[in-house]
Amino acid sequence: MNMNNIIGNDGINPQFIFLEKIKAMLITIVEKEKINNSYKIALLNNPNLNLINYFIEIDQNQKSYIVINDLKNYLNINSIEYSEHTLRKFIHLFDKQNKFNLTYEDFIKIFSPYNMDTINNNIDLNNEKEIFINIINGYLELAEQINEMIINIRKTNNFTTYEAFMGISKGNKYLDEEFLEHFLEHNYNCDEIRNLIYLIDSNNDRVISYE
């Protein structure tokens, strides 16, 4: 099916709508990550920071990994509530081996800045725990937003998701850094694009495939 030839009843090409929705989702991720990154930099500026203590606090029964219930209980203690579906999506952002949990290695990646350039002078550097929770909460909000946008994207009719992907990628089986830089109209630097790929890429092969 050639999506370029599909015109809806309103005269609008559904592929254009699909592309704009995809672009909006990717931009949302990059812009949210700028905020998250500024908090990560602030957290790392604390000379007494020890992330293992936070990991142990969340990891109930000292299993050496974090599952949904661990995260849910920790958030409840701090008066933060999200659905289990959102918690699952959050874990999936950083669980690149599809273990359905977060090891300490996965955990520290949550708090690793993609660069050291995004600085927010309004962040209180003395409140380490608040910064830590803001990062966790930022990714939970992002996971929720991504899920809502994906649901909206899937409502685009007239062609399958596979046909849409192949139309976007011009027949390639994956989207790489160069493609995304062009797709987002060169508005973001290499660090931001690589970080975007990392978050979306489910198997850590540094490209985005249809799967």
Side-chain angles (χ1 to χ4, degrees), residues 110-201:
I110 300 173
F111 306 96
S112 301
Y114 58 78
N115 65 35
M116 299 299 290
D117 298 333
T118 314
I119 298 175
N120 185 342
N121 294 324
N122 295 321
I123 297 175
D124 181 4
L125 300 180
N126 296 315
N127 198 331
E128 178 186 294
K129 184 172 183 179
E130 182 178 321
I131 296 172
F132 173 84
I133 290 177
N134 276 333
I135 295 170
I136 295 287
N137 196 45
Y139 278 114
L140 286 163
E141 289 178 354
L142 180 59
E144 203 167 56
Q145 284 179 297
I146 291 173
N147 185 60
E148 290 172 356
M149 287 186 287
I150 288 175
I151 291 172
N152 183 259
I153 288 168
R154 285 175 175 166
K155 292 178 181 178
T156 307
N157 299 320
N158 297 322
F159 49 86
T160 67
T161 305
Y162 178 76
E163 288 170 334
F165 180 87
M166 295 306 288
I168 293 172
S169 66
K170 303 186 186 304
N172 294 320
K173 295 183 178 180
Y174 59 84
L175 309 179
D176 59 13
E177 182 181 333
E178 183 179 358
F179 173 86
L180 288 173
E181 185 178 356
H182 177 73
F183 185 62
L184 296 177
E185 301 173 6
H186 303 279
N187 289 323
Y188 299 103
N189 62 42
C190 292
D191 289 334
E192 291 165 338
I193 297 295
R194 287 171 190 153
N195 185 64
L196 170 65
I197 292 174
Y198 171 77
L199 284 174
I200 299 175
D201 176 21

Side-chain angles (χ1 to χ4, degrees), residues 9-23:
N9 294 330
D10 54 5
I12 299 175
N13 187 333
Q15 186 192 18
F16 174 79
I17 298 173
F18 183 89
L19 289 172
E20 290 302 302
K21 288 181 178 181
I22 290 290
K23 187 177 293 184

Side-chain angles (χ1 to χ4, degrees), residues 16-42:
F16 174 79
I17 298 173
F18 183 89
L19 289 172
E20 290 302 302
K21 288 181 178 181
I22 290 290
K23 187 177 293 184
M25 180 178 71
L26 297 179
I27 289 172
T28 296
I29 295 172
V30 177
E31 293 297 332
K32 186 68 175 179
E33 268 294 81
K34 287 182 180 181
I35 299 172
N36 290 338
N37 202 61
S38 65
Y39 279 105
K40 294 178 189 182
I41 294 171

Side-chain angles (χ1 to χ4, degrees), residues 41-169:
I41 294 171
L43 188 69
L44 293 182
N45 279 335
N46 189 323
N48 299 315
L49 174 68
N50 193 346
L51 284 173
I52 189 65
N53 292 335
Y54 287 105
F55 183 82
I56 292 171
E57 185 179 356
I58 299 173
D59 173 23
Q60 298 177 357
N61 303 320
Q62 309 305 298
K63 306 179 299 300
S64 297
Y65 57 85
I66 292 170
V67 294
I68 289 176
N69 282 339
D70 298 328
L71 190 58
K72 183 177 182 180
N73 291 335
Y74 180 80
L75 293 172
N76 285 341
I77 291 171
N78 290 280
S79 303
I80 301 172
E81 185 175 349
Y82 285 92
S83 69
E84 287 198 11
H85 181 75
T86 297
L87 298 180
R88 191 176 299 111
K89 293 295 184 181
F90 165 83
I91 288 177
H92 187 64
L93 285 175
F94 299 97
D95 168 28
K96 300 304 180 181
Q97 289 78 44
N98 296 313
K99 310 177 305 300
F100 306 103
N101 63 52
L102 296 176
T103 62
Y104 182 63
E105 182 181 4
D106 301 324
F107 184 76
I108 59 177
K109 288 179 181 176
I110 300 173
F111 306 96
S112 301
Y114 58 78
N115 65 35
M116 299 299 290
D117 298 333
T118 314
I119 298 175
N120 185 342
N121 294 324
N122 295 321
I123 297 175
D124 181 4
L125 300 180
N126 296 315
N127 198 331
E128 178 186 294
K129 184 172 183 179
E130 182 178 321
I131 296 172
F132 173 84
I133 290 177
N134 276 333
I135 295 170
I136 295 287
N137 196 45
Y139 278 114
L140 286 163
E141 289 178 354
L142 180 59
E144 203 167 56
Q145 284 179 297
I146 291 173
N147 185 60
E148 290 172 356
M149 287 186 287
I150 288 175
I151 291 172
N152 183 259
I153 288 168
R154 285 175 175 166
K155 292 178 181 178
T156 307
N157 299 320
N158 297 322
F159 49 86
T160 67
T161 305
Y162 178 76
E163 288 170 334
F165 180 87
M166 295 306 288
I168 293 172
S169 66

